[in-house]
Amino acid sequence: MHEILSRLGLDRDPRVTPPAQTAQDGVVLSLNPATGEPLAGVKLDTADSYEKTIARATGSFKRWRTVPAPKRGEVVRRIGEAYREHLEDLGSLVALEMGKIKAEGIGEVQETIDVADFAVGLSRQLHGITMPSERPMHSMREHWLPLGPIGVITAFNFPNAVWGWNAMLGAVCGDVCVWKPSLITPLTAIATNNIAQRVASEMGHEGVFELVIGTDDEVGERMIADRRLPLISATGSCRMGRHVGAAVAGRLGKCLLELGGNNAVIIEPDADLDLALKSTVFGSVGTCGQRCTSSRRLIIHESIADDFCERLAKAYATVRIGDPLDEGTLVGPIINENSARAFEDAIAAAKQQGGEVIAGGARVDPAKLPERLRKGAYVQPTIVRAPAGNQLAIAQEETFAPILYVFTYKTLDEAIGMHNSVDQGLSSAIFTGSARSAERFLNPSGAGSDCGLAYVNLGTSGAEIGGAFGGEKDTGGGRESGSDAWKVYMRRQTCTVNFGDEFALAQGIRFE
Ligand code: UN1
């Protein structure tokens, strides 16, 4: 077994089986997307084991919620420290199993550490407010209470950090986290969850972090229908989110959805173009275009479009594609064959719709790859220029691949209109030297960017944890991570106390 797996104790985990070439019943194979090799098998949960997990989580929640919040924070503080100790190995495991480059794998685990730190501070700041009562000798306040065991469904592309956002906040809020990770990245989930679980158990708090690894049919459907999970936090495609949202709404549960993006960068003629270039390259090719925040559309002023596209295409040509664990690689494999085909289909559609490919445009020829990488799926980061008139239907869709569609504009109003003309509303960026343009992009009337995240002079991906993360429209409206996103993991209670001895009704109603 790969040494990173052993260092993280995965070879001793009862769910992990030695790698086999073919999957057996009830086992999912985790593959290294860089080489196509199986890393290990992981035993799947069944309806039966799911039921046991939820029963356990329900019991653990009743104990955990009684632990004072700052003490819960202390558990999360130690979990953050344990992740610091395992940063290199966990980051490498993310790279190994998901295919993002090691620097980004480590960055992802750092994101979990950051949110753990944030949650520690928060554990002493789960503030409610007081308000004056209209009645004499009455007081009013609201306070925040633990919500319950919560279901967290995560995608393959951030196999560690998205759980971290939910689990670290949920834990200080007094919730127990039941995590259903993507079946593409179960090993990262096991290693990540085991660390949190071990630290919490050593401190006398067992069962705060539960993991269920199973198919949508066996586990996912049960989870979203389960009334014992008052909140389902789900990250994935808009299609998945519609299904989850409807199921959870059907039982009047709470949903936190973080779904697809179709993020655009606007570049104004007075922008710092060197900065815009670097940021656009990272935003569009980073993580092989598989972030929900990846830049998918470039909306550039017509006066600078040709020169900038030429520079961008040159920069794309220098991006080193290869093994994500090799120093110097900037783009690893795309996650699997299906994604590679979606990449090819999108490019075929773009060409058919009149788009012109000015960089990349195809898979990497396996013959040009080192022997051991030939079973991986590698694609060339691609730029497609939309035809005159800016009509390119395929750009309405989120293809989880490194494809950037380029559009041109004359006026900022036109650019913002194009920017907002897609169904999704996650992340957005403008590069400009003008304060006026920047403020128009952030227009407090709402006439600027319609996304949940808006950046000025930086790219669409790479959010810090301190802000609330999420998006509008088909992105699902959820907010995770920083700011006051913690409130979704708690329930609010408005408390009114009569400390006098008069019977008094609100609204001055007399009932004598
Ligand atoms: C995701 O792609 O699901 O802002 C999350 C970013 C990262 C998180 C991405 N901090 O790009």
Side-chain angles (χ1 to χ4, degrees):
M1 208 178 266
H2 202 287
E3 58 181 24
I4 295 170
L5 273 61
S6 324
R7 283 210 296 274
L8 288 163
L10 284 164
D11 51 351
R12 297 183 296 282
D13 189 284
R15 280 168 294 209
V16 179
T17 66
Q21 291 309 315
T22 50
Q24 300 136 15
D25 256 3
V27 173
V28 66
L29 275 185
S30 165
L31 304 175
N32 174 355
T35 60
E37 278 157 342
L39 293 167
V42 172
K43 290 184 198 147
L44 291 175
D45 272 285
T46 58
D48 201 40
S49 63
Y50 169 80
E51 190 47 44
K52 289 197 177 101
T53 304
I54 299 296
R56 209 168 45 231
T58 306
S60 308
F61 169 65
K62 289 195 176 129
R63 289 187 293 278
W64 182 238
R65 68 180 175 184
T66 66
V67 176
K71 295 271 186 286
R72 300 195 292 251
E74 173 61 11
V75 174
V76 168
R77 188 181 70 76
R78 301 242 195 126
I79 292 171
E81 273 174 7
Y83 287 136
R84 280 185 170 88
E85 276 161 38
H86 293 94
L87 178 60
E88 172 89 17
D89 281 340
L90 259 184
S92 303
L93 176 60
V94 169
L96 188 66
E97 194 178 35
M98 184 277 161
K100 65 177 71 174
I101 60 170
K102 190 172 158 185
E104 290 190 69
I106 289 176
E108 170 166 358
V109 179
Q110 185 61 47
E111 201 161 333
T112 294
I113 294 170
D114 291 346
V115 84
D117 287 356
F118 179 86
V120 176
L122 197 59
S123 71
R124 291 181 185 269
Q125 299 176 81
L126 302 170
H127 294 151
I129 58 169
T130 61
M131 56 285 278
S133 167
E134 66 190 46
R135 288 170 278 189
M137 310 293 268
H138 281 60
S139 68
M140 281 181 81
R141 63 174 187 266
E142 63 184 31
H143 63 175
W144 294 86
L145 313 169
L147 187 63
I150 57 168
V152 176
I153 299 172
T154 59
F156 78 89
N157 66 331
F158 270 78
N160 168 281
V162 172
W163 168 84
W165 295 344
N166 287 277
M168 298 298 99
L169 292 194
V172 297
C173 291
D175 300 341
V176 161
C177 180
V178 181
W179 181 14
K180 179 190 173 298
S182 159
L183 291 184
I184 298 175
T185 49
L187 295 173
T188 304
I190 294 175
T192 300
N193 202 71
N194 278 355
I195 291 171
Q197 206 171 23
R198 175 180 51 75
V199 172
S201 301
E202 282 169 6
M203 294 175 76
H205 306 291
E206 252 168 81
V208 181
F209 303 98
E210 294 281 3
L211 188 58
V212 280
I213 301 174
T215 61
D216 291 344
D217 284 350
E218 190 83 1
V219 169
E221 292 299 325
R222 282 195 165 72
M223 215 169 158
I224 61 181
D226 198 328
R227 294 176 61 89
R228 293 166 295 182
L229 302 174
L231 170 70
I232 297 289
S233 168
T235 302
S237 67
C238 296
R239 192 174 53 80
M240 179 280 287
R242 276 197 186 86
H243 177 66
V244 171
V248 177
R251 62 174 171 93
L252 303 178
K254 285 212 256 184
C255 230
L256 191 175
L257 296 175
E258 202 257 286
L259 311 174
N262 191 346
N263 318 299
V265 179
I266 296 176
I267 304 183
E268 288 252 279
D270 63 358
D272 176 338
L273 295 178
D274 294 334
L275 190 63
L277 187 78
K278 286 184 196 144
S279 307
T280 305
V281 175
F282 177 73
S284 54
V285 317
T287 331
C288 198
Q290 299 171 109
R291 290 192 189 214
C292 54
T293 52
S294 292
S295 305
R296 312 221 173 272
R297 296 176 297 138
L298 177 63
I299 302 170
I300 185 162
H301 193 267
E302 60 176 15
S303 63
I304 53 169
D306 290 348
D307 283 353
F308 192 82
C309 283
E310 202 176 301
R311 288 182 67 191
L312 199 58
K314 275 201 191 120
Y316 267 51
T318 66
V319 167
R320 199 177 310 161
I321 304 170
D323 188 331
L325 286 165
D326 285 351
E327 197 77 35
T329 300
L330 286 183
V331 173
I334 199 162
I335 193 65
N336 54 29
E337 255 322 289
N338 282 349
S339 285
R341 272 197 292 272
F343 162 87
E344 289 178 315
D345 291 350
I347 292 169
K351 284 185 185 158
Q352 203 255 325
Q353 292 162 12
E356 183 200 350
V357 174
I358 61 165
R363 284 182 189 233
V364 176
D365 178 1
K368 298 216 169 92
L369 288 165
E371 180 84 40
R372 67 193 183 85
L373 301 184
R374 292 195 186 150
K375 289 209 184 83
Y378 292 83
V379 300
Q380 299 170 346
T382 295
I383 307 172
V384 178
R385 280 195 75 164
N390 282 325
Q391 292 307 316
L392 192 66
I394 188 71
Q396 293 288 321
E397 284 167 38
E398 178 191 47
T399 303
F400 231 51
I403 307 174
L404 183 69
Y405 303 108
V406 183
F407 302 88
T408 55
Y409 73 90
K410 287 189 175 60
T411 66
L412 183 58
D413 282 347
E414 185 192 355
I416 292 175
M418 284 162 68
H419 175 276
N420 292 348
S421 69
V422 294
D423 292 335
Q424 309 85 344
L426 180 57
S427 188
S428 60
I430 188 168
F431 284 84
T432 178
S434 144
R436 188 185 287 170
S437 296
E439 292 297 329
R440 277 168 65 188
F441 187 67
L442 308 176
N443 191 339
S445 76
S449 159
D450 62 1
C451 291
L453 308 168
Y455 294 95
V456 175
N457 293 334
L458 58 169
T460 57
S461 68
E464 302 181 15
I465 62 93
F469 182 93
E472 301 300 328
K473 304 198 286 182
D474 285 6
T475 303
R479 290 296 186 280
E480 303 177 287
S481 188
S483 184
D484 64 352
W486 60 271
K487 289 180 175 169
V488 76
Y489 304 93
M490 302 198 88
R491 63 186 171 88
R492 180 198 310 239
Q493 191 166 61
T494 304
C495 315
T496 308
V497 179
N498 178 357
F499 55 89
D501 38 35
E502 295 292 318
F503 171 63
L505 291 170
Q507 293 88 44
I509 295 173
R510 301 192 70 81
F511 198 79
E512 314 269 327

